[in-house]
Amino acid sequence: MRVYISSHSLDKANELATALEAAGHTVTSVWHRDGGPKLPLTEVAEWRDRADRNFLNICQSDVLALIGHTERVPGGKFVEAGYAMGKDIRVYVVGEVENGMMTCATPVTDTADLLRHLA
């Protein structure tokens, strides 16, 4: 299965990517592998380029895994999840459902539960 990871945490995204790849899945998201955005992003063109790349990576996916947690850092995980839903790409919320719109996604308790759903 091809999975895009959406999160506000580089560490949590990379941990999930490692687990997914160990289980034989392909991770299409790359934003977390390149260290994330170098903040502050001051150029609109730089933001647009990153967004375009992320949207392309989402379109290359079978599912999007949104990591739910209350840690707050810059990012567009809810925009990414909404984009995926609009493209009829299944969305899973791993952990805490922290946004009312994410009740439209499939909740899973943790990585092991997500892997069971993807099997």
Side-chain angles (χ1 to χ4, degrees), residues 8-50:
H8 287 162
S9 169
L10 290 172
D11 292 338
K12 291 177 193 284
N14 284 323
E15 288 171 16
L16 181 56
T18 298
L20 287 165
E21 290 171 340
H25 300 287
T26 301
V27 175
T28 62
S29 51
V30 297
W31 66 267
H32 48 92
R33 299 275 168 105
D34 65 11
K38 308 302 181 254
L39 300 175
L41 288 178
T42 56
E43 298 296 323
V44 172
E46 187 177 357
W47 279 107
R48 187 176 299 116
D49 289 346
R50 285 185 160 277

Side-chain angles (χ1 to χ4, degrees), residues 16 19 92-96 107-117:
L16 181 56
Y92 291 92
V93 176
V94 183
E96 181 180 347
V108 295
T109 56
D110 55 24
T111 300
D113 194 19
L114 175 63
L115 290 172
R116 283 190 290 276
H117 276 81

Side-chain angles (χ1 to χ4, degrees), residues 28-98:
T28 62
S29 51
V30 297
W31 66 267
H32 48 92
R33 299 275 168 105
D34 65 11
K38 308 302 181 254
L39 300 175
L41 288 178
T42 56
E43 298 296 323
V44 172
E46 187 177 357
W47 279 107
R48 187 176 299 116
D49 289 346
R50 285 185 160 277
D52 287 345
R53 182 189 67 187
N54 291 348
F55 289 144
L56 175 64
N57 293 156
I58 291 167
C59 289
Q60 296 167 334
S61 303
D62 300 307
V63 301
L64 181 141
L66 182 144
I67 301 173
H69 54 86
T70 56
E71 180 182 341
R72 298 283 184 227
V73 295
K77 71 181 184 181
F78 297 120
V79 172
E80 292 171 339
Y83 183 81
M85 288 175 179
K87 294 286 189 179
D88 290 325
I89 295 169
R90 186 168 194 124
V91 175
Y92 291 92
V93 176
V94 183
E96 181 180 347
V97 177
E98 59 185 297

